[in-house]
Amino acid sequence: MGSGGDRPSASVKHLAGASPAARKVAGARRNPSVVGYDDTVPAWLRTSAGWSWRLLLLIAGIGVIFYATAQVQIVFIAVFLALVITSVLRPVTDWYAKIMPRGLATALALLSAFLVLGGLLTYVITSVAGQWDKLAGQFNTGIEKIFDFLEHGPLPVTITSDDVDTWIENGRKWITEHGGDIASQAAASAGSVFEAFAVLALAIFCTIFFLARGKDMWTWFLNQLPARSRETWTVAGGAGWYTFSGYARGTVIIALADGILAAIVLVVLGVPLAAPLAVLVFIGAFIPLIGAPAAMVIAMVVALAANGVVNAALVGIFIALIGQFEGHILQPLVMGKQVSLHPVVVALAVTSGTFIAGILGAVVSVPLVAVAWAVFSKLRRKDPPMEDEIPTAKEIALSGRERSSNGGSANGKEATADA
């Protein structure tokens, strides 16, 4: 047994090993955090507090980013669209640049894209104009069949033509009463159209520089950083761009394949306006989880109105098969490991993005999450995976009970022996 003077008192135990200067800091004896931590605080509480304030700072930083992005939403959309176009046209520009200057290759790549999109839109508009009268008659006939089924069919709820007339009359009255609101909404829509043209113009402007001088711009940015940080930014930027460009190009290829397959199915089944509906499927493929089902429903409605219930059911079945072909064959084949997100993560990202920013959030959420995960995976230090199988919850619970019972019996035996 040592004397009491050999051990420091509890009030200065935390100062053991501290320098004389640290011991003289004002309040050090009354504030253990000056040179150490208070042993009276449980370890789990210290750990939880450390994680809590770090998470709060991280959430605050993310909130500031979202707020700043919302203030310049048009600029964000334009830059995002420019990056998508750049990722799609970059291989084309590189191919042209092998036989001509980079600037001319950029202009030719953009011209090729405009010609493809212009030809596609021209074909769609021509097909709609040529089949519009025929489709209008078929649509009226289909609507009459639907109302006849609702009125005399086996459904427990019946809808008569008088009910429809009443709804139309109520709608006409509502339009008359809210004419001013509708006019203001139309004016707002006109402003939105102007914003859309501004976004498109800014996106094309940025795309030109990204395609022609993108590497030089990235090098200039890296040179503005401290030398010790350049390697980290280079690795993070390379991983992020590889994932983003792979997602953008893969999405375009998959959407194009979906549109072509949908056009073939609609033409074979004799559905009117097959080309516009195929284009709608192509556009819907850019919105994960939401766009393709919405396009499928619209195609089924047109098929139902024009050709009947059986044709609409066949359209739904074939488009659902196209969706399965996309999810199980096209996406793994086209995107590969460039975008390795679990379907649950995709669903959560799309849902969260939709609630935060509507359709825009649904479109940009998946590529942003994919880029963030790619950068994190590249920069983190990953420990070796576990070799043993994880026990089930039941096995863990039972093993815990056994340890408790064994500990209790051992303690009891020790108590008996001591007695």
Side-chain angles (χ1 to χ4, degrees), residues 11 68 167 386 403:
S11 61
W167 295 341
M386 294 186 299
R403 286 196 299 268

Side-chain angles (χ1 to χ4, degrees), residues 289-378:
L289 301 180
I290 302 174
M296 180 183 68
V297 170
I298 295 175
M300 289 178 62
V301 169
V302 174
L304 175 64
N307 299 334
V309 178
V310 176
N311 192 266
L314 291 175
V315 170
I317 292 172
F318 278 108
I319 294 184
L321 291 176
I322 292 174
Q324 294 298 316
F325 175 73
E326 170 197 334
H328 293 87
I329 297 178
L330 280 181
Q331 285 192 357
L333 183 64
V334 174
M335 294 188 181
K337 296 183 179 180
Q338 286 181 281
V339 183
S340 55
L341 293 180
H342 195 277
V344 174
V345 178
V346 174
L348 293 176
V350 172
T351 304
S352 302
T354 303
F355 278 113
I356 294 174
I359 298 297
L360 174 63
V363 173
V364 305
S365 59
V366 175
L368 292 182
V369 171
V371 169
W373 175 250
V375 173
F376 171 74
S377 301
K378 195 68 177 178

Side-chain angles (χ1 to χ4, degrees), residues 96-184:
Y96 285 152
K98 295 179 180 179
I99 56 176
M100 62 183 67
R102 187 75 183 181
L104 184 59
T106 300
L108 187 58
L110 289 172
L111 180 61
S112 301
F114 282 130
L115 291 177
V116 171
L117 291 177
L120 183 62
L121 290 176
T122 302
Y123 175 71
V124 169
I125 294 173
T126 303
S127 61
V128 170
Q131 301 183 41
W132 184 257
D133 294 336
K134 180 180 178 181
L135 179 63
Q138 291 177 337
F139 189 80
N140 291 332
T141 303
I143 292 296
E144 292 177 358
K145 292 180 180 179
I146 293 174
F147 284 141
D148 183 70
F149 175 79
L150 292 175
E151 184 175 358
H152 303 96
L155 297 179
V157 180
T158 59
I159 299 176
T160 63
S161 57
D162 294 335
D163 295 332
V164 176
D165 294 337
T166 302
W167 295 341
I168 294 175
E169 181 64 23
N170 292 336
R172 187 187 63 80
K173 291 181 179 179
W174 185 89
I175 292 175
T176 303
E177 295 174 355
H178 297 81
D181 297 336
I182 296 175
S184 62

